[in-house]
Amino acid sequence: ALRLDRMINDLLDLSRLEARQLKLMRQPVDLASLVHVSVERIAGEAPDRSFELRVPPSLPFIDIDADRIVQVIDNLLSNAIKYGTPDTPIEIEILQRDLDIVVAVINQGPGIAPEDLPHLFQRFHRVGKDHNSHIKGIGLGLYIVQQLVEAHGGRVQAESAPGGKTTFRFTLPRAGELAIRENATA
C-alpha cells in the first residue's frame, strides 16, 4: 500500500511539474535541522544501515519549500539504501559554496555505468534494470528530484564510478540569492 501510494504521488507530482502548476510554499528554513530529521526518520526505516551526517557550523537559513526538499532528500537517501552496499555508511554532507548551499548524498556500491549517467534524470529511466530487477520503482524519483531542485533555483548532478562511490549533489540558493539571480536575468 505504501509503495502504491508513493507511485500515485509521484505520478501526481509529475503531472503538476510538467503542467508548471506545482506551487512552492517557500519560507526561511534551517536546512541542517531539516536534513537531520529526514536522516533520523529514514534511519528508523533502515535500522541495518549506518548514516554519517556532516554539517558546517552556523549554516544560514534558506528560502525553500521544506516539504518538497524533504521529498528530494528522502528520494536520494532511499536510492542510497537500495543501491548501496549494506555494510558501508551512507554519507550526507552539507556545504556552503559561494551563493549556494550544497547537499550531497554519498554511498558505496556497484556504481552507475558511465553510459547511464546522462540519462539518470529522465522520466521512467531505471539504471541497470537487468541486474537490479529486484529493486522496485517506476523511474520517476530522480526526474522529480531534478524538477523540484530546479524549481527552487538549484541544480542537481550525479557522479559515480563502477564499484566505487556514487554521489548525488544538489544546490539551493541561500536566502535572498534567488531573488538577486531572478532580477539579474530579467
Side-chain angles (χ1 to χ4, degrees), residues 16-64:
R16 286 185 205 108
L17 285 162
E18 290 188 342
R20 302 280 187 236
Q21 294 186 357
L22 183 75
K23 296 194 185 327
L24 297 179
M25 306 302 288
R26 291 177 184 269
Q27 60 184 12
V29 173
D30 177 0
L31 183 64
S33 293
L34 190 75
V35 170
H36 187 73
V37 168
S38 281
V39 169
E40 281 186 351
R41 186 174 32 71
I42 294 285
E45 296 171 12
D48 58 328
R49 299 303 301 265
S50 64
F51 297 83
E52 294 177 5
L53 179 59
R54 293 186 296 274
V55 180
S58 66
L59 196 64
F61 277 51
I62 57 174
D63 288 325
I64 58 172

Side-chain angles (χ1 to χ4, degrees), residues 9 29 31 38 40 56 61 82 98-99 114 118-119 127 130 137 145 158 165 174:
N9 285 326
V29 173
L31 183 64
S38 281
E40 281 186 351
F61 277 51
K82 286 190 259 187
D98 299 324
L99 304 177
H119 308 288
V127 172
D130 297 334
V145 162
K165 288 191 175 189
R174 289 196 233 180

Side-chain angles (χ1 to χ4, degrees), residues 2-12 137-138 140:
L2 290 173
R3 185 171 165 257
L4 184 58
D5 183 55
R6 192 173 309 122
M7 283 182 183
I8 290 168
N9 285 326
D10 282 351
L11 289 169
L12 289 170
I138 57 175
L140 287 177

